[in-house]
């Protein structure tokens, strides 16, 4: 058994000061961190419990944006009536994530920072060769069982899928993440997540010791008419085989698409904005043929490995179905 130092921070300043020591991790709901500690992927020397920091669990909705504190629970945000009205995609992405027990424990900040479900990444005893866990050691998934692995954004070093649902919706709707370290900064969620390249161990734009304070989602017509569709191996709880976060804004005629938003989950190494699909829809009539044509572009540049080619066929169907639901023609 490894010794572990545990501190409960009373305020953000203390948490940030304590987090400056190497080998420290923040602990929110613990549903990712404790899991990864048990399987030996994470081996922090100390954890700082941030669950009692004041003011970070609030959800506010103004005329221009939704602001969600990093410590708001997944279930709390999913159930928020204001969020469901102005941003159904956010509520739906959260309801379809994990299980009821997990959603009651897990925080929004921790949700963004969840790590891949690649089996080889998590099996430290059987697979030393994982570039994400052990840089330069190789990738057991390339020629292994890669049914759940990415077809977009992969590199020669790593093909692991980003597993989360909420971040897919955030990327589609230009959300930003507010970060506090030595100073406060705001980063678009799309830029927050990194492609694996030759450093798959670097997953996001958060320096050691920096804390997520919250996220902000600008309101828009497309957000109000939005939808999250997740296809998975079982309905009770499971990560996405393919998912789509979409939104549609119509012209005054009620038939012409003014703006579309599309992002994909379950198929890429990071939440994947499908701008080609969005551009193909703008200015077009809202009908099934137009949507299916545009959705076919979702997989541009996709590359399959031995077991995951089904995602290339599945994802455009998920995108099309989600857009038709959002447009009210499903
Ligand atoms: C069985 C199972 C099924 C799941 N299914 C899904 C699913 O279908 N869809 C989905 O989206 N998710 C799913 N999840 C993941 C789950 O949503 C995440 O584990 C959860 O959201 C993490 O939040 P947490 O508060 O527990 O984070 P923690 O475990 O406390 O933290 C996670 C990481 O984030 C860091 N951290 C936490 N908060 C902050 C902060 N404010 N600033 C900086 N760093 C921080 C921690 O140091 C840690 O590294 C599943 C998890 C499990 C165990
Ligand atoms: S896909 Fe990435 S996480 Fe999985 S074994 Fe390869 S390097 Fe590790």
């Amino acid at each position: 058994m490894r010794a572990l130092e545990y501190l409960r921070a009373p305020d953000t300043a203390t948490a940030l000061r304590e987090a400056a020591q190497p080998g420290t991790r923040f602990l929110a709901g613990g549903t990712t961190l404790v899991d990864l500690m048990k399987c030996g992927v994470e081996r922090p020397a100390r954890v700082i419990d941030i669950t009692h920091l004041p003011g970070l669990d609030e959800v506010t909705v103004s005329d221009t944006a939704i602001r969600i504190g990093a410590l708001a629970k997944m279930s709390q945000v999913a159930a928020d009536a204001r969020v469901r009205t102005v941003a159904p995609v956010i509520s739906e992405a959260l309801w379809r994530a994990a299980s009821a027990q997990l959603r009651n424990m897990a925080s929004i900040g921790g949700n963004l920072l969840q790590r891949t479900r690649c089996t080889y990444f998590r099996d430290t005893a059987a697979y030393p060769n994982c570039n994400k866990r052990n840089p330069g050691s190789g990738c057991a998934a390339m020629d292994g069982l890669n049914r759940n692995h990415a077809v977009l954004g992969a590199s020669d070093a790593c093909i692991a899928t980003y597993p989360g649902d909420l971040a897919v919706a955030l990327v589609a709707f230009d959300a930003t993440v507010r970060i506090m370290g030595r100073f406060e900064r705001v980063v678009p969620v799309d830029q927050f997540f990194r492609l694996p390249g030759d450093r798959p161990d670097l997953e996001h734009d958060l320096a050691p010791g920096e804390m997520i304070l919250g996220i902000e989602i600008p309101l828009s017509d497309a957000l109000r008419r939005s939808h999250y569709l997740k296809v998975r191996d079982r309905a009770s709880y499971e990560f996405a085989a393919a998912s789509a976060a979409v939104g549609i804004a119509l012209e005054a005629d009620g038939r012409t698409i003014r703006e579309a938003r599309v992002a994909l989950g379950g198929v890429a190494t990071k939440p994947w904005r499908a701008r080609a699909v969005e551009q193909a829809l703008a200015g077009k009539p809202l009908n099934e043929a137009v949507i299916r044509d545009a959705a076919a572009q979702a997989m541009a540049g996709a590359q399959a490995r031995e077991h995951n080619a089904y995602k290339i066929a599945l994802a455009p169907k998920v995108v099309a179905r989600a857009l038709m639901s959002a447009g009210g023609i499903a």
Side-chain angles (χ1 to χ4, degrees), residues 25-35 42 50 70-71 74 96-99 102 105-107 109-111 113-114 117 163-166 206 210-213 230 237-239:
R25 288 279 188 279
F26 293 124
L27 178 72
T31 62
T32 281
L33 184 63
V34 175
D35 233 14
E42 292 274 6
I50 57 173
L71 292 176
M74 290 171 70
R96 282 159 186 71
S99 62
L102 287 158
M105 281 296 291
S107 67
N111 184 278
L113 296 175
Q114 64 181 286
R117 310 305 288 196
D165 293 296
L166 173 66
L206 200 65
E210 280 190 317
M211 185 190 294
I212 296 179
L213 296 181
K230 176 174 177 179
Y237 68 96
E238 188 52 275
F239 294 90

Side-chain angles (χ1 to χ4, degrees), residues 220-223 225 247-251 256-261 283:
S220 65
D221 291 344
L223 183 62
R225 191 173 195 142
I248 287 182
L250 297 176
E251 297 288 5
T256 309
I257 299 169
R258 172 157 53 84
E259 185 195 22
R261 299 294 186 98

Side-chain angles (χ1 to χ4, degrees), residues 136-282:
S137 61
C139 170
M142 292 281 175
D143 299 313
L145 293 172
N146 42 44
R147 181 179 183 276
N148 294 324
H149 288 71
V151 292
L152 289 166
S155 72
D156 290 343
C158 181
I159 56 172
T161 314
Y162 175 79
D165 293 296
L166 173 66
V168 179
L170 297 179
V171 161
F173 291 91
D174 294 330
T176 53
V177 56
R178 197 154 60 89
I179 295 167
M180 181 62 108
R182 281 191 303 168
F183 54 90
E184 190 173 325
R185 62 197 180 95
V186 174
V187 181
V189 176
D190 199 15
Q191 290 169 27
F192 180 74
F193 292 103
R194 297 186 184 191
L195 289 169
D198 57 4
R199 289 298 306 273
D201 53 315
L202 303 177
E203 295 170 354
H204 49 69
D205 178 33
L206 200 65
E210 280 190 317
M211 185 190 294
I212 296 179
L213 296 181
I215 54 176
E216 179 169 323
I217 310 147
L219 298 189
S220 65
D221 291 344
L223 183 62
R224 189 174 275 272
R225 191 173 195 142
S226 61
H227 181 49
Y228 188 75
L229 180 62
K230 176 174 177 179
V231 173
R232 47 188 162 168
D233 286 344
R234 58 178 176 180
S236 58
Y237 68 96
E238 188 52 275
F239 294 90
S243 69
V246 306
I248 287 182
L250 297 176
E251 297 288 5
D253 65 9
R255 293 187 306 271
T256 309
I257 299 169
R258 172 157 53 84
E259 185 195 22
R261 299 294 186 98
V262 182
L264 302 166
V267 294
T269 51
K270 58 178 265 184
W272 197 260
R273 181 88 177 254
R275 291 189 191 273
V277 180
E278 295 176 357
Q279 283 157 15
L281 288 168

Side-chain angles (χ1 to χ4, degrees), residues 116 118 120-121 129-132 138-141 149 157-160:
T116 184
C118 171
Y120 304 103
F121 170 72
N129 46 336
C130 170
N131 287 322
K132 189 183 277 298
C139 170
H149 288 71
C158 181
I159 56 172

